[in-house]
Amino acid sequence: MPENFFEKPILNSPYNYPGRHWELDSDGQPTNRITEKRRECSYITPVPKPKKKKAKEETPDLFGGPKGISVDGELYDPTSIINEMRGYIDRWRKLPNPKDWGVTPETQRLLQHWRHHPFEGVRPFFCQIEAVETAIWLAEVAPKLEQGKKFRRYLEAANADANPELFRIALKLATGAGKTTVMALLIAWQTVNAVRHPSSKLYSRGFLIVTPGITIKDRLRVLLPSDMESYYASREIVPRDMLGDIAKAKIVITNYHAFKLRERINLSAGGKSLLQGRGPELQTKETEGQMVQRVMGELMGMKNVVVLNDEAHHCYRERVGADAEDTEEDLKGDEKADAQQQNAAARLWISGIEAVKRKLGVRIVYDLSATPFFLAGSGYREGTLFPWVMSDFSLMDAIECGIVKLPRIPIADNVPGEEMPMLRNLWEHIGKSMPKGRRGAKNLDPLSLPPKLTTALDALYGHYKKTYDLWADRGISVPPVFIVVCNNTSSSKLVYDYISGFEREESGKTSFHEGRLELFRNYDEHGQPHARPRTLLIDSVQLESGDSLDSNFHEVAADEIAQFRREIVERTGDQEAGRNLSDQDLLREVMNTVGKKGRLGESIRCVVSVSMLTEGWDANTVTHILGVRAFGTQLLCEQVVGRGLRRQSYELNSEGLFDVEYSDILGIPFDFTAKPVVANPKPPKETVRVHAVRPDRDALEITFPRVQGYRTELPSERLSAKFNDDHILVLDPKLVGSTTVLNSGIIGEQIDLTLDHLAEVRKSTVIYELTSHLLFTKFRDPGEEPKMHLFGQLKRIVREWLDGGYLKLVGGTQLAQIKYKALTDMACERIRKAITDAHIGENKILAIIDPFNPIGSTSSVNFNTSKDTYATNHDRSHVNYVVTDSDWEAEFARVAESRKEVLYYVKNQGLGLEVPYLMGADTHRYIPDFLLRIDDGKGPDNPLNLVIEIKGYRGEDAKEKASTMRSYWIPGVNNLGIYGRWAFAEFTEVFAMEKDFEKLLQDKFDQAFAAAGEGETQNLIV
């Protein structure tokens, strides 16, 4: 096996287009060669040979025919259509002008936000955005393109056989790639457009999210806009001004079991027969309409909701009749029982959605899954890809982007004569010795596990111990997690007892048996249970009974339990919900918080499970997995291995990539291999919650106007300009590009490429073109004719700017380059601001306030960060921490709190105070550092709002930001007269900061702040 693939397998940034991949040979193994393009979508499923071979078959039946789906006379298989779709999406994504994207303005803004916003915390991965881009393109762009309509016809054909009543689109993302975030992006796109385009038939603000179990249902509560940890705010899924639109979404999250029709009358079989008598069959179950009302009452009255299926490979209708293959009847034993159970669940799931369509209407169904394949016994060949999959980000793609851990499985051992290492497919060697029943291990002996199983446990545990010690040495505050996945409840109970210890009756006495794996023991050496269990048993029986939680656990975890009770009350608004918390809910909370510091599951080191862990569990501390069950296909392998693929650290290294992390696996015949070594974990940074302390500090709340732009009333008299350093434009190679280039062939003469020829352009030509651009773009309102009478005055001012040395040419740049449109815009914006400064008091500048969200407040601050922080004084800030991006900011926080004139202050992070400004022709948003309210002598009832910027090096962008604050934002807000008095100051020397701030507060009060409402304070720079 090539060495480099395992030493440095990560090739791409998770946030950028995956433009490189490892070449694989015909067996799917790396060749140690890197291909400089994206990996094409392809899927070769190593499945067992069909049990039933039909003579008519010539090629594998992908769906609906021998070679694929017919569209417009052409045959397509799912992977070829995905690759073709990628090409369209790639070309569409690269269009530079958003107006050419063919989407609504709201979609346009969301796409720009997801692609370019400087996220405070977790940033969406490329694959997450691409999945949503696919949905957007199919909905908004494809119908306008002739070629795009083909994809719609393909989807209609793909759904016709399997989902005739529904229109489904599947988005395939590897486990750990963040399907929850994709759902949040989809909901945001649909909701914002539905709210702002209520008559459109493309969008909906009603959503039904269907999950396969309670674990996932609990995890997806972050998709509710009202949840404390809602992704839309905490992960900045939408711009802050769109949060009001998101709040109008109606979202119901349910597990598919809720679709089962319930009995309305509790009767025994005899009682029901008695009541029925000789009449027609007594209908005691609820109707379809009543079921819909019960499951999604919040959506009643809405039409055409959007359905999101999480782990959607559980949702299908099995194929029957002559075309069916791999049916339930072809299976035996546990496999047949599993297939019957899976098919029944799939029928219930898809029937429930069909019922919703009949009663409410379903606009579209989005399926999300890492493994959207038909299961065994479904009537389709096991492992067949859902043909309505339109986007694919495979496990190999995820590994090459570092989004997931690299799974390692055995490749060699010291057992002679076997091609496959024994511990790679453990079940083949122990299956006959394990219990067959699904319930009751009371009479079975945990100490009598097959030796090959106990050997496997010891082998993997030995490596786990090294990892555990390494994590402890690195100061990681939670332990790594070891998972055992068993075939049935009896086996899981045996393994659990063997690992953690157990008691049993022997000759009328209770005897204690110590757990065989020390770090996983739930009992001490005296047989007393640890207050906090280290090993957790998860199966349906435990979830119903809550037996795993004893009184000691309740006592020691009292604070955490109380916290969870408070969270439930806050989420539901129901005081009784917190008081009536059951042990089952606590057990689920333990499970959902494994690996999370300060939560109920933080002490768990080992989880023994039947099948619950095949999906929906998102712990990122799993390092070891042992399979104690049969794995018929790579589908099941990937589902189970997926529990160990979520990364522990999401910090980028110096190359802008993730460091490689590993998950070590035994007993699962998965198709990735590696050498067994202990990976050095990267300790995660400690995170803190930054939030407004409510209601304790509500008296310290600071509000501010949300400014969208500016309106300037032109002076009617003679124009003049007031130039200063902020109006300087420096043209250098960093801004304009290389000005001298050495070109050379492999042989022959070398030449220098320079810009010397541009020196021939006359200065008068430059002045004319700058003046024309200034007149037509900066001094003309939309729809109006240019004010040609101003041309002469503007020409004079342009000449003053050039002659005054405010255009600086360095590094071989030329005057003629100012004619480049982007540079012309930059120059004209500086000249316009100089004119505005000269006419303050004559022409009124007014800020344009966001009509949908006019006021921002410190009360909305709520996010998590791993950056350095400074704890604020309880009587100086509404927010508990200042996030310090530099030592300068920490020093300023100290200085601000030391001055009695500062009433209160806040760091502008997660606050939403943004200043729109122009850089060239592009609109940007500037985020100042601090916002203070100070007493400048007019008393605390009439404070001065002081916006502070801490800046070292002042590049062109910094000058533009400061100039906009002084020339537009401050006077524009002050002139409105309803948001208080505002001023701006900039500090550029860290060591002089305290002295400068004291001078600002004491020496400049009367001069700088007396006329704050008249717009003079904006010129203050310290």
Side-chain angles (χ1 to χ4, degrees), residues 8-68:
K8 199 171 182 180
I10 299 173
L11 300 177
N12 303 305
S13 165
Y15 304 112
N16 300 327
Y17 183 84
R20 311 171 76 205
H21 72 270
W22 289 102
E23 181 187 73
L24 302 180
D25 61 21
S26 58
D27 295 324
Q29 299 301 305
T31 63
N32 209 26
R33 289 192 293 269
I34 296 174
T35 302
E36 298 293 338
K37 67 175 185 178
R38 183 174 186 179
R39 180 185 301 284
E40 288 191 349
C41 171
S42 62
Y43 195 86
I44 302 172
T45 311
V47 297
K49 293 182 179 180
K51 295 181 175 64
K52 187 187 298 182
K53 183 77 172 179
K54 290 185 169 52
K56 65 180 181 180
E57 293 179 353
E58 296 178 359
T59 59
D61 185 356
L62 290 171
F63 198 90
K67 294 185 179 179

Side-chain angles (χ1 to χ4, degrees), residues 739 754-760 812 814:
T739 56
T754 69
L755 302 178
D756 292 345
H757 61 286
L758 293 182
E760 301 173 2
Q814 299 289 333

Side-chain angles (χ1 to χ4, degrees), residues 351-485:
S351 297
I353 297 175
E354 290 168 350
V356 175
K357 181 173 183 179
R358 287 190 289 271
K359 298 302 178 182
L360 298 181
V362 171
R363 190 178 303 279
I364 195 169
V365 179
Y366 289 111
D367 294 333
L368 291 101
S369 174
T371 54
F373 307 104
F374 287 104
L375 304 176
S378 62
Y380 300 89
R381 184 168 299 175
E382 184 179 14
T384 299
L385 186 69
F386 285 178
W388 54 92
V389 174
M390 301 303 288
S391 173
D392 179 29
F393 197 79
S394 70
L395 179 56
M396 194 66 191
D397 296 327
I399 288 173
E400 289 166 337
C401 291
I403 292 173
V404 299
K405 294 173 181 170
L406 178 60
R408 299 184 296 205
I409 64 176
I411 58 173
D413 62 16
N414 58 354
V415 178
E418 294 287 340
E419 181 178 348
M420 179 179 286
M422 180 183 294
L423 297 187
R424 178 141 171 209
N425 193 0
L426 180 61
W427 189 255
E428 182 179 336
H429 302 277
I430 67 169
K432 294 180 180 179
S433 303
M434 296 299 291
K436 304 298 186 295
R438 292 172 174 264
R439 293 289 184 271
K442 185 175 181 180
N443 298 321
L444 300 177
D445 183 6
L447 302 181
S448 298
L449 290 177
K452 292 174 183 176
L453 173 55
T454 56
T455 299
L457 283 166
D458 286 334
L460 198 58
Y461 172 78
H463 189 268
Y464 171 89
K465 191 175 186 306
K466 294 178 182 178
T467 306
Y468 177 89
D469 293 338
L470 188 58
W471 281 37
D473 291 341
R474 295 296 179 91
I476 299 176
S477 57
V478 293
V481 175
F482 186 115
I483 294 177
V484 184
V485 179

Side-chain angles (χ1 to χ4, degrees), residues 777-973:
T777 65
K778 307 297 181 182
F779 283 84
R780 181 174 67 165
D781 292 328
E784 292 187 358
E785 293 295 319
K787 299 176 175 60
M788 298 305 299
H789 65 281
L790 296 178
F791 187 89
Q793 298 186 63
L794 292 175
K795 182 178 179 181
R796 169 179 51 80
I797 293 172
V798 169
R799 186 182 296 276
E800 289 176 13
W801 184 72
L802 287 173
D803 292 345
Y806 294 101
L807 175 65
K808 298 187 180 299
L809 306 174
V810 298
T813 55
Q814 299 289 333
L815 175 63
Q817 289 181 278
I818 200 66
K819 299 200 305 176
Y820 301 166
K821 186 176 184 304
L823 300 181
T824 301
D825 276 322
M826 294 174 68
C828 290
E829 185 62 23
R830 281 164 170 73
I831 296 170
R832 182 178 75 127
K833 288 179 179 176
I835 295 172
T836 300
D837 288 348
H839 291 275
I840 290 176
E842 301 174 27
N843 58 310
K844 212 169 188 181
I845 299 169
L846 298 176
I848 301 172
I849 305 301
D850 185 345
F852 298 104
N853 196 12
I855 301 295
S857 168
T858 52
S859 63
S860 65
V861 175
N862 184 9
F863 62 91
N864 294 319
T865 184
S866 60
K867 295 181 180 179
D868 294 336
T869 55
Y870 178 95
T872 61
N873 197 310
H874 70 92
D875 61 351
R876 287 304 182 93
S877 181
H878 195 196
V879 177
N880 60 341
Y881 286 105
V882 167
V883 179
T884 55
D885 295 315
S886 67
D887 293 338
W888 291 38
E889 295 180 351
E891 171 63 10
F892 180 79
R894 183 195 67 79
V895 170
E897 291 194 352
S898 70
R899 303 299 305 183
K900 66 180 186 302
E901 296 90 345
V902 177
L903 301 174
Y904 31 97
Y905 76 105
V906 68
K907 170 72 184 295
N908 184 27
Q909 190 142 355
L911 179 63
L913 173 57
E914 298 179 344
V915 178
Y917 73 100
L918 287 176
M919 190 69 181
D922 299 325
T923 300
H924 298 270
R925 291 188 175 271
Y926 155 51
I927 301 176
D929 290 323
F930 287 90
L931 177 55
L932 287 69
R933 281 196 174 171
I934 66 174
D935 183 355
D936 62 339
K938 296 192 176 184
D941 294 334
N942 186 20
L944 177 70
N945 297 282
L946 181 60
V947 181
I948 296 291
E949 177 66 22
I950 311 296
K951 188 66 67 178
Y953 168 73
R954 298 184 80 234
E956 293 300 325
D957 61 335
K959 295 176 185 177
E960 202 68 53
K961 295 171 184 176
S963 177
T964 298
M965 282 296 297
R966 290 195 307 273
S967 301
Y968 293 99
W969 200 96
I970 293 295
V973 171

Side-chain angles (χ1 to χ4, degrees), residues 688-730:
V688 297
R689 180 182 170 218
V690 181
H691 64 99
V693 182
R694 307 193 66 189
D696 299 0
R697 302 192 194 179
D698 279 356
L700 308 182
E701 180 184 11
I702 299 178
T703 58
F704 56 90
R706 295 186 184 275
V707 176
Q708 281 190 330
Y710 317 96
R711 183 167 59 87
T712 305
E713 298 175 359
L714 292 174
S716 57
E717 303 297 327
R718 179 180 173 84
L719 292 178
S720 62
K722 186 177 181 180
F723 294 114
N724 58 41
D725 288 348
D726 283 333
H727 304 124
I728 293 174
L729 177 60
V730 179

Side-chain angles (χ1 to χ4, degrees), residues 632-682:
T633 67
Q634 290 299 302
L635 170 60
L636 184 56
C637 290
E638 185 170 345
Q639 288 175 342
V640 176
V641 169
R643 300 313 103 215
L645 296 184
R646 284 183 169 81
R647 292 184 59 87
Q648 179 225 2
S649 171
Y650 288 88
E651 300 290 333
L652 295 175
N653 59 27
S654 59
E655 298 177 18
L657 305 176
F658 285 149
D659 288 325
V660 64
E661 295 182 2
Y662 297 95
S663 179
D664 290 283
I665 297 160
L666 297 183
I668 303 175
F670 199 51
D671 270 353
F672 287 87
T673 59
K675 292 182 178 179
V677 296
V678 177
N680 290 325
K682 187 174 183 179

